[in-house]
Structure formats: C-alpha cells, structure tokens
Amino acid sequence: MVVLILKVQHHDQTDRKQKETVKSAQNIPKPKHIVIVVGENHPYNQIIGASDAPYINELAKKGVLFTNSHGIAHPSQPNYLALFSGDTQGITDDSCPHTFSSNNLAVALQKKGNSFAGYSEDLPSVGFAGCQSHSYHRKHSPWVNFSNVPSSSNLPFSSFPKNYSQLPTVSFVIPNLMHDMHDGTVKQADTWLKKNLDSYIQWAFSNDSLFILTWDEDNFKKPNQIPTIFVGPMLKPGKYPSYMDHYSVLRTIEDMYGIAPVGKTASTSAIKGIWK
C-alpha cells in the first residue's frame, strides 16, 4: 500500500512538471511583427544613462532592459552571424565576401509560413551583394552571405514599409556606419533611431508587435557587455539581470514562432520571466 502511494505521488509530480513546462512555453508570446535594430561597438555603460542617448534610455525605461547582455565574439561580423544563424560560421574577422548554405532564421521562418527581410541603410539596390557601398557594409547584413536566403529579402532601408502591417514577420534594420555608432556619434545614432523607428514602436504597442534594440559587441573589452532592450505590449517593463547573449535572442524568436532551433541555439534557453 505504501509503495502504491509513492508511485501515485511520483506520477503526480511528473504530471505537474510537464504542465509547468507547457505553461512556460505558452508564456512566450507570438508577436505579429518583430523589428530588430543592431548598433555598433559600444558597451552597456556608454549607452545606458548616457546624456547623448536620451531616446534609447527612454526606450529602456519603457520596456525591458537586460543588464547582463553580451556579444558572442570580436570583431563585428561573427556577432551578426550568431544573431542570424546561431553560429559564427567559423568567421573571426570582418572579411568579405563569404557564402554559407547552413540553416538560419530566414529559412526557418519560411518553413513555418512566416516571412523575413533585412533592411540596410545605404544599400544601393534590392539584392545588392557587394561588400560596400558608401556607408553600407555587407559584414553587418548577415543574410546576404547565405545562398538559401533569396536576394529579394535583402532590401534598402528606403523600402521599409510606411504601413507597418505590411512588414514581414521578422525584420532586421541595419543603420549605416554613421548611424549605428561605428563611425558616427552616440547622439547621431540616438537621433536617427527616434526619427526612423519611433513611429513603428508606438504602432507596436497597439498592434501586438515587438521592437528589439541590441549591439553587436562592446568596445573590444573582455566582458563584451552590451545594451539590449525589448519594447512592446507583451512585456513586463523593468531591468533584468540574468545572463543573455545573441543566441538567447535568436532562441527566443525561434520559440515565439515554433521553429526548430538553428546552430548553437539548440542548447540555448529562450528568455523567460519578462512576459506578461
């Protein structure tokens, strides 16, 4: 009789854990749209609290600020590849061009009936595959390197829809070198972001959509600590101290849309505890 009771308790505990796991997965929302903007080469403490970044700090207060967010590597290019494909693809520099055929966010989204586009400022034409044009650099637009991503997904920022309901499911916005803090100032980037993305962010709050702002890497320091901010109606605003990185962001997007993890995100956990 005692053995039977213990077995029942064990099954009850297993069932409860299974239900908790299902509930946890269900707590991750499925935004109608996600727009991701990537800045360049600035650590957390050069952005958060900086007087030259009033708009970015306003977003940090309005949404979720990750106080322990990190890049994957140095220099820039491996981080963009990690965020898009779950792997640095063996790249350790900013060389160009490269061609890969491995799985990535765009392909995984498409397999589930979702859509993807990358919008790059100063990209001279749709599908442009050159390494550089004015202040556009291919090393910051990782989808261009993947032969399984159609060239029609590689778009100039001038093509960013005015009607935000026409946005793809997930899109990246890559400012040019003057507006991503690589060559320009923090203040220039902050002003550009407000001018070009604030209306989308306001729209997102009433249209179940999400805005993500992150950086590729810090200023080449060992901690590689960067600002990462999520803004949207599905969030519990505040500061969150748990460790996270580019793989965490990608895995969260994958779980949102029920797509199979790509690359190293298979062994990475989605971000939890920030959702309403």
mmCIF file of all heavy atoms in Angstrom, residues 67-109:
data_model
loop_
_atom_site.group_PDB
_atom_site.id
_atom_site.type_symbol
_atom_site.label_atom_id
_atom_site.label_comp_id
_atom_site.label_asym_id
_atom_site.label_seq_id
_atom_site.Cartn_x
_atom_site.Cartn_y
_atom_site.Cartn_z
ATOM 1 N N THR A 67 20.448 43.886 -18.200
ATOM 2 C CA THR A 67 21.654 44.483 -17.618
ATOM 3 C C THR A 67 22.857 43.538 -17.620
ATOM 4 O O THR A 67 23.919 43.894 -17.135
ATOM 5 C CB THR A 67 21.377 44.930 -16.167
ATOM 6 O OG1 THR A 67 21.025 43.775 -15.383
ATOM 7 C CG2 THR A 67 20.241 45.946 -16.114
ATOM 8 N N ASN A 68 22.659 42.346 -18.188
ATOM 9 C CA ASN A 68 23.750 41.369 -18.244
ATOM 10 C C ASN A 68 23.762 40.704 -19.624
ATOM 11 O O ASN A 68 23.832 39.486 -19.746
ATOM 12 C CB ASN A 68 23.594 40.328 -17.136
ATOM 13 C CG ASN A 68 24.863 39.535 -16.889
ATOM 14 O OD1 ASN A 68 25.950 39.908 -17.330
ATOM 15 N ND2 ASN A 68 24.733 38.431 -16.173
ATOM 16 N N SER A 69 23.681 41.540 -20.654
ATOM 17 C CA SER A 69 23.626 41.071 -22.044
ATOM 18 C C SER A 69 25.018 41.141 -22.663
ATOM 19 O O SER A 69 25.772 42.094 -22.417
ATOM 20 C CB SER A 69 22.658 41.945 -22.838
ATOM 21 O OG SER A 69 22.674 41.599 -24.210
ATOM 22 N N HIS A 70 25.345 40.156 -23.513
ATOM 23 C CA HIS A 70 26.706 40.054 -24.022
ATOM 24 C C HIS A 70 26.750 39.689 -25.508
ATOM 25 O O HIS A 70 25.895 38.957 -26.004
ATOM 26 C CB HIS A 70 27.482 38.994 -23.229
ATOM 27 C CG HIS A 70 27.641 39.355 -21.792
ATOM 28 N ND1 HIS A 70 28.770 39.964 -21.278
ATOM 29 C CD2 HIS A 70 26.780 39.217 -20.739
ATOM 30 C CE1 HIS A 70 28.605 40.166 -19.978
ATOM 31 N NE2 HIS A 70 27.410 39.727 -19.633
ATOM 32 N N GLY A 71 27.765 40.219 -26.184
ATOM 33 C CA GLY A 71 28.086 39.767 -27.521
ATOM 34 C C GLY A 71 28.769 38.409 -27.452
ATOM 35 O O GLY A 71 29.181 37.945 -26.389
ATOM 36 N N ILE A 72 28.900 37.777 -28.621
ATOM 37 C CA ILE A 72 29.484 36.444 -28.692
ATOM 38 C C ILE A 72 30.994 36.492 -28.891
ATOM 39 O O ILE A 72 31.738 35.674 -28.359
ATOM 40 C CB ILE A 72 28.837 35.635 -29.845
ATOM 41 C CG1 ILE A 72 27.327 35.453 -29.592
ATOM 42 C CG2 ILE A 72 29.527 34.297 -30.050
ATOM 43 C CD1 ILE A 72 26.991 34.622 -28.370
ATOM 44 N N ALA A 73 31.451 37.458 -29.684
ATOM 45 C CA ALA A 73 32.855 37.461 -30.104
ATOM 46 C C ALA A 73 33.295 38.867 -30.469
ATOM 47 O O ALA A 73 32.536 39.836 -30.341
ATOM 48 C CB ALA A 73 33.017 36.522 -31.304
ATOM 49 N N HIS A 74 34.514 38.991 -30.920
ATOM 50 C CA HIS A 74 35.054 40.187 -31.562
ATOM 51 C C HIS A 74 35.708 39.732 -32.865
ATOM 52 O O HIS A 74 36.241 38.625 -32.925
ATOM 53 C CB HIS A 74 36.095 40.868 -30.671
ATOM 54 C CG HIS A 74 35.572 41.365 -29.354
ATOM 55 N ND1 HIS A 74 34.608 42.348 -29.248
ATOM 56 C CD2 HIS A 74 35.879 41.001 -28.092
ATOM 57 C CE1 HIS A 74 34.362 42.587 -27.973
ATOM 58 N NE2 HIS A 74 35.111 41.768 -27.239
ATOM 59 N N PRO A 75 35.695 40.493 -33.931
ATOM 60 C CA PRO A 75 35.075 41.818 -34.079
ATOM 61 C C PRO A 75 33.601 41.707 -34.441
ATOM 62 O O PRO A 75 32.927 40.762 -33.980
ATOM 63 C CB PRO A 75 35.901 42.437 -35.211
ATOM 64 C CG PRO A 75 36.250 41.260 -36.076
ATOM 65 C CD PRO A 75 36.480 40.119 -35.122
ATOM 66 N N SER A 76 33.109 42.595 -35.299
ATOM 67 C CA SER A 76 31.669 42.713 -35.547
ATOM 68 C C SER A 76 31.034 41.490 -36.202
ATOM 69 O O SER A 76 30.041 40.943 -35.722
ATOM 70 C CB SER A 76 31.381 43.937 -36.433
ATOM 71 O OG SER A 76 31.707 45.133 -35.781
ATOM 72 N N GLN A 77 31.580 41.067 -37.329
ATOM 73 C CA GLN A 77 30.880 40.123 -38.196
ATOM 74 C C GLN A 77 30.440 38.825 -37.520
ATOM 75 O O GLN A 77 29.310 38.374 -37.737
ATOM 76 C CB GLN A 77 31.729 39.814 -39.438
ATOM 77 C CG GLN A 77 31.019 38.952 -40.457
ATOM 78 C CD GLN A 77 31.673 38.979 -41.818
ATOM 79 O OE1 GLN A 77 31.008 39.050 -42.852
ATOM 80 N NE2 GLN A 77 32.998 38.941 -41.856
ATOM 81 N N PRO A 78 31.267 38.181 -36.692
ATOM 82 C CA PRO A 78 30.803 36.944 -36.050
ATOM 83 C C PRO A 78 29.540 37.133 -35.218
ATOM 84 O O PRO A 78 28.718 36.212 -35.110
ATOM 85 C CB PRO A 78 31.993 36.547 -35.169
ATOM 86 C CG PRO A 78 33.171 37.224 -35.765
ATOM 87 C CD PRO A 78 32.663 38.499 -36.335
ATOM 88 N N ASN A 79 29.363 38.308 -34.635
ATOM 89 C CA ASN A 79 28.180 38.560 -33.811
ATOM 90 C C ASN A 79 26.908 38.637 -34.656
ATOM 91 O O ASN A 79 25.865 38.117 -34.270
ATOM 92 C CB ASN A 79 28.381 39.854 -33.019
ATOM 93 C CG ASN A 79 29.493 39.733 -32.004
ATOM 94 O OD1 ASN A 79 29.364 39.039 -31.007
ATOM 95 N ND2 ASN A 79 30.610 40.397 -32.269
ATOM 96 N N TYR A 80 26.987 39.297 -35.795
ATOM 97 C CA TYR A 80 25.834 39.358 -36.692
ATOM 98 C C TYR A 80 25.459 37.958 -37.186
ATOM 99 O O TYR A 80 24.277 37.609 -37.264
ATOM 100 C CB TYR A 80 26.135 40.268 -37.885
ATOM 101 C CG TYR A 80 26.149 41.732 -37.564
ATOM 102 C CD1 TYR A 80 27.320 42.376 -37.180
ATOM 103 C CD2 TYR A 80 24.982 42.504 -37.645
ATOM 104 C CE1 TYR A 80 27.345 43.736 -36.889
ATOM 105 C CE2 TYR A 80 24.990 43.861 -37.364
ATOM 106 C CZ TYR A 80 26.176 44.472 -36.983
ATOM 107 O OH TYR A 80 26.189 45.818 -36.706
ATOM 108 N N LEU A 81 26.466 37.167 -37.524
ATOM 109 C CA LEU A 81 26.210 35.797 -37.973
ATOM 110 C C LEU A 81 25.577 34.967 -36.857
ATOM 111 O O LEU A 81 24.657 34.177 -37.101
ATOM 112 C CB LEU A 81 27.518 35.155 -38.446
ATOM 113 C CG LEU A 81 28.104 35.727 -39.741
ATOM 114 C CD1 LEU A 81 29.542 35.257 -39.927
ATOM 115 C CD2 LEU A 81 27.248 35.325 -40.942
ATOM 116 N N ALA A 82 26.058 35.148 -35.635
ATOM 117 C CA ALA A 82 25.500 34.412 -34.498
ATOM 118 C C ALA A 82 24.040 34.776 -34.275
ATOM 119 O O ALA A 82 23.196 33.900 -34.043
ATOM 120 C CB ALA A 82 26.316 34.701 -33.241
ATOM 121 N N LEU A 83 23.725 36.051 -34.367
ATOM 122 C CA LEU A 83 22.357 36.513 -34.137
ATOM 123 C C LEU A 83 21.406 36.021 -35.221
ATOM 124 O O LEU A 83 20.231 35.774 -34.961
ATOM 125 C CB LEU A 83 22.343 38.046 -34.072
ATOM 126 C CG LEU A 83 21.022 38.742 -33.767
ATOM 127 C CD1 LEU A 83 20.441 38.266 -32.432
ATOM 128 C CD2 LEU A 83 21.215 40.248 -33.753
ATOM 129 N N PHE A 84 21.904 35.852 -36.435
ATOM 130 C CA PHE A 84 21.063 35.447 -37.565
ATOM 131 C C PHE A 84 21.029 33.941 -37.793
ATOM 132 O O PHE A 84 19.997 33.393 -38.183
ATOM 133 C CB PHE A 84 21.558 36.143 -38.838
ATOM 134 C CG PHE A 84 20.773 35.783 -40.067
ATOM 135 C CD1 PHE A 84 19.467 36.234 -40.238
ATOM 136 C CD2 PHE A 84 21.332 35.004 -41.061
ATOM 137 C CE1 PHE A 84 18.740 35.902 -41.366
ATOM 138 C CE2 PHE A 84 20.615 34.661 -42.198
ATOM 139 C CZ PHE A 84 19.312 35.121 -42.356
ATOM 140 N N SER A 85 22.146 33.261 -37.518
ATOM 141 C CA SER A 85 22.213 31.837 -37.871
ATOM 142 C C SER A 85 22.548 30.915 -36.706
ATOM 143 O O SER A 85 22.683 29.702 -36.896
ATOM 144 C CB SER A 85 23.246 31.625 -38.985
ATOM 145 O OG SER A 85 24.564 31.839 -38.515
ATOM 146 N N GLY A 86 22.737 31.478 -35.517
ATOM 147 C CA GLY A 86 23.050 30.641 -34.367
ATOM 148 C C GLY A 86 24.467 30.117 -34.366
ATOM 149 O O GLY A 86 24.801 29.208 -33.605
ATOM 150 N N ASP A 87 25.321 30.718 -35.185
ATOM 151 C CA ASP A 87 26.705 30.256 -35.284
ATOM 152 C C ASP A 87 27.546 31.359 -35.916
ATOM 153 O O ASP A 87 27.051 32.111 -36.759
ATOM 154 C CB ASP A 87 26.771 28.988 -36.145
ATOM 155 C CG ASP A 87 28.052 28.196 -35.923
ATOM 156 O OD1 ASP A 87 29.114 28.660 -36.377
ATOM 157 O OD2 ASP A 87 27.992 27.121 -35.305
ATOM 158 N N THR A 88 28.795 31.431 -35.521
ATOM 159 C CA THR A 88 29.694 32.411 -36.137
ATOM 160 C C THR A 88 30.212 31.935 -37.485
ATOM 161 O O THR A 88 30.940 32.667 -38.163
ATOM 162 C CB THR A 88 30.879 32.718 -35.213
ATOM 163 O OG1 THR A 88 31.623 31.512 -35.001
ATOM 164 C CG2 THR A 88 30.395 33.271 -33.864
ATOM 165 N N GLN A 89 29.860 30.707 -37.869
ATOM 166 C CA GLN A 89 30.254 30.129 -39.165
ATOM 167 C C GLN A 89 31.776 30.087 -39.344
ATOM 168 O O GLN A 89 32.283 30.097 -40.469
ATOM 169 C CB GLN A 89 29.604 30.911 -40.315
ATOM 170 C CG GLN A 89 28.100 31.029 -40.239
ATOM 171 C CD GLN A 89 27.379 29.692 -40.292
ATOM 172 O OE1 GLN A 89 27.852 28.739 -40.903
ATOM 173 N NE2 GLN A 89 26.215 29.608 -39.650
ATOM 174 N N GLY A 90 32.501 30.051 -38.242
ATOM 175 C CA GLY A 90 33.955 29.963 -38.316
ATOM 176 C C GLY A 90 34.645 31.266 -38.676
ATOM 177 O O GLY A 90 35.861 31.298 -38.862
ATOM 178 N N ILE A 91 33.866 32.354 -38.727
ATOM 179 C CA ILE A 91 34.420 33.651 -39.102
ATOM 180 C C ILE A 91 34.972 34.350 -37.862
ATOM 181 O O ILE A 91 34.292 34.442 -36.836
ATOM 182 C CB ILE A 91 33.355 34.532 -39.783
ATOM 183 C CG1 ILE A 91 32.823 33.838 -41.033
ATOM 184 C CG2 ILE A 91 33.926 35.900 -40.121
ATOM 185 C CD1 ILE A 91 33.881 33.528 -42.080
ATOM 186 N N THR A 92 36.175 34.847 -37.969
ATOM 187 C CA THR A 92 36.825 35.509 -36.831
ATOM 188 C C THR A 92 37.271 36.927 -37.170
ATOM 189 O O THR A 92 38.027 37.540 -36.418
ATOM 190 C CB THR A 92 38.049 34.699 -36.360
ATOM 191 O OG1 THR A 92 38.972 34.571 -37.452
ATOM 192 C CG2 THR A 92 37.633 33.320 -35.872
ATOM 193 N N ASP A 93 36.816 37.446 -38.315
ATOM 194 C CA ASP A 93 37.220 38.783 -38.749
ATOM 195 C C ASP A 93 36.078 39.438 -39.514
ATOM 196 O O ASP A 93 34.962 38.915 -39.547
ATOM 197 C CB ASP A 93 38.488 38.714 -39.613
ATOM 198 C CG ASP A 93 38.346 37.778 -40.814
ATOM 199 O OD1 ASP A 93 37.200 37.571 -41.285
ATOM 200 O OD2 ASP A 93 39.372 37.256 -41.287
ATOM 201 N N ASP A 94 36.346 40.568 -40.119
ATOM 202 C CA ASP A 94 35.326 41.305 -40.877
ATOM 203 C C ASP A 94 35.519 41.164 -42.388
ATOM 204 O O ASP A 94 35.099 42.027 -43.164
ATOM 205 C CB ASP A 94 35.362 42.789 -40.491
ATOM 206 C CG ASP A 94 34.749 43.046 -39.125
ATOM 207 O OD1 ASP A 94 33.895 42.247 -38.693
ATOM 208 O OD2 ASP A 94 35.124 44.043 -38.476
ATOM 209 N N SER A 95 36.140 40.082 -42.810
ATOM 210 C CA SER A 95 36.429 39.880 -44.229
ATOM 211 C C SER A 95 35.148 39.667 -45.042
ATOM 212 O O SER A 95 34.102 39.307 -44.514
ATOM 213 C CB SER A 95 37.360 38.682 -44.404
ATOM 214 O OG SER A 95 36.793 37.517 -43.821
ATOM 215 N N CYS A 96 35.258 39.911 -46.339
ATOM 216 C CA CYS A 96 34.119 39.823 -47.248
ATOM 217 C C CYS A 96 34.640 39.552 -48.654
ATOM 218 O O CYS A 96 35.719 40.062 -49.014
ATOM 219 C CB CYS A 96 33.338 41.141 -47.201
ATOM 220 S SG CYS A 96 31.927 41.242 -48.331
ATOM 221 N N PRO A 97 33.901 38.738 -49.443
ATOM 222 C CA PRO A 97 32.601 38.128 -49.162
ATOM 223 C C PRO A 97 32.733 36.711 -48.597
ATOM 224 O O PRO A 97 33.807 36.116 -48.649
ATOM 225 C CB PRO A 97 31.958 38.082 -50.544
ATOM 226 C CG PRO A 97 33.128 37.832 -51.464
ATOM 227 C CD PRO A 97 34.282 38.597 -50.862
ATOM 228 N N HIS A 98 31.614 36.191 -48.097
ATOM 229 C CA HIS A 98 31.516 34.803 -47.670
ATOM 230 C C HIS A 98 30.197 34.239 -48.176
ATOM 231 O O HIS A 98 29.225 34.984 -48.366
ATOM 232 C CB HIS A 98 31.558 34.692 -46.148
ATOM 233 C CG HIS A 98 32.853 35.134 -45.548
ATOM 234 N ND1 HIS A 98 34.004 34.375 -45.593
ATOM 235 C CD2 HIS A 98 33.194 36.279 -44.898
ATOM 236 C CE1 HIS A 98 34.984 35.010 -45.001
ATOM 237 N NE2 HIS A 98 34.526 36.177 -44.570
ATOM 238 N N THR A 99 30.170 32.940 -48.384
ATOM 239 C CA THR A 99 28.937 32.275 -48.799
ATOM 240 C C THR A 99 28.719 31.040 -47.934
ATOM 241 O O THR A 99 29.610 30.190 -47.829
ATOM 242 C CB THR A 99 28.996 31.856 -50.281
ATOM 243 O OG1 THR A 99 29.231 33.009 -51.087
ATOM 244 C CG2 THR A 99 27.671 31.212 -50.702
ATOM 245 N N PHE A 100 27.545 30.953 -47.318
ATOM 246 C CA PHE A 100 27.172 29.814 -46.483
ATOM 247 C C PHE A 100 25.845 29.240 -46.987
ATOM 248 O O PHE A 100 25.061 29.938 -47.630
ATOM 249 C CB PHE A 100 27.012 30.236 -45.023
ATOM 250 C CG PHE A 100 28.155 31.070 -44.496
ATOM 251 C CD1 PHE A 100 27.971 32.413 -44.165
ATOM 252 C CD2 PHE A 100 29.412 30.517 -44.325
ATOM 253 C CE1 PHE A 100 29.014 33.186 -43.678
ATOM 254 C CE2 PHE A 100 30.468 31.286 -43.836
ATOM 255 C CZ PHE A 100 30.269 32.617 -43.513
ATOM 256 N N SER A 101 25.610 27.983 -46.653
ATOM 257 C CA SER A 101 24.345 27.351 -47.036
ATOM 258 C C SER A 101 23.655 26.714 -45.836
ATOM 259 O O SER A 101 22.687 25.972 -45.992
ATOM 260 C CB SER A 101 24.588 26.297 -48.116
ATOM 261 O OG SER A 101 25.503 25.306 -47.652
ATOM 262 N N SER A 102 24.139 26.997 -44.642
ATOM 263 C CA SER A 102 23.582 26.394 -43.427
ATOM 264 C C SER A 102 22.248 27.034 -43.052
ATOM 265 O O SER A 102 21.854 28.074 -43.577
ATOM 266 C CB SER A 102 24.587 26.525 -42.275
ATOM 267 O OG SER A 102 25.018 27.858 -42.140
ATOM 268 N N ASN A 103 21.585 26.407 -42.109
ATOM 269 C CA ASN A 103 20.274 26.882 -41.672
ATOM 270 C C ASN A 103 20.409 28.240 -40.992
ATOM 271 O O ASN A 103 21.458 28.593 -40.455
ATOM 272 C CB ASN A 103 19.651 25.865 -40.715
ATOM 273 C CG ASN A 103 18.133 26.004 -40.642
ATOM 274 O OD1 ASN A 103 17.530 26.798 -41.351
ATOM 275 N ND2 ASN A 103 17.523 25.214 -39.785
ATOM 276 N N ASN A 104 19.322 28.995 -40.992
ATOM 277 C CA ASN A 104 19.342 30.340 -40.425
ATOM 278 C C ASN A 104 17.921 30.785 -40.136
ATOM 279 O O ASN A 104 16.952 30.082 -40.456
ATOM 280 C CB ASN A 104 20.045 31.308 -41.379
ATOM 281 C CG ASN A 104 19.418 31.316 -42.753
ATOM 282 O OD1 ASN A 104 18.308 31.814 -42.934
ATOM 283 N ND2 ASN A 104 20.113 30.759 -43.749
ATOM 284 N N LEU A 105 17.781 31.938 -39.529
ATOM 285 C CA LEU A 105 16.476 32.433 -39.111
ATOM 286 C C LEU A 105 15.522 32.600 -40.288
ATOM 287 O O LEU A 105 14.349 32.220 -40.199
ATOM 288 C CB LEU A 105 16.640 33.765 -38.383
ATOM 289 C CG LEU A 105 15.359 34.474 -37.942
ATOM 290 C CD1 LEU A 105 14.560 33.608 -36.980
ATOM 291 C CD2 LEU A 105 15.692 35.829 -37.305
ATOM 292 N N ALA A 106 15.990 33.156 -41.396
ATOM 293 C CA ALA A 106 15.119 33.401 -42.542
ATOM 294 C C ALA A 106 14.540 32.099 -43.092
ATOM 295 O O ALA A 106 13.333 31.993 -43.358
ATOM 296 C CB ALA A 106 15.881 34.142 -43.636
ATOM 297 N N VAL A 107 15.398 31.104 -43.265
ATOM 298 C CA VAL A 107 14.950 29.810 -43.791
ATOM 299 C C VAL A 107 13.987 29.137 -42.826
ATOM 300 O O VAL A 107 12.940 28.600 -43.221
ATOM 301 C CB VAL A 107 16.169 28.900 -44.068
ATOM 302 C CG1 VAL A 107 15.721 27.479 -44.405
ATOM 303 C CG2 VAL A 107 17.003 29.475 -45.207
ATOM 304 N N ALA A 108 14.325 29.163 -41.538
ATOM 305 C CA ALA A 108 13.474 28.522 -40.531
ATOM 306 C C ALA A 108 12.100 29.184 -40.456
ATOM 307 O O ALA A 108 11.079 28.496 -40.308
ATOM 308 C CB ALA A 108 14.167 28.562 -39.172
ATOM 309 N N LEU A 109 12.060 30.503 -40.544
ATOM 310 C CA LEU A 109 10.771 31.207 -40.545
ATOM 311 C C LEU A 109 9.938 30.812 -41.755
ATOM 312 O O LEU A 109 8.732 30.549 -41.646
ATOM 313 C CB LEU A 109 11.002 32.717 -40.547
ATOM 314 C CG LEU A 109 11.413 33.366 -39.234
ATOM 315 C CD1 LEU A 109 11.921 34.781 -39.472
ATOM 316 C CD2 LEU A 109 10.249 33.396 -38.240
#
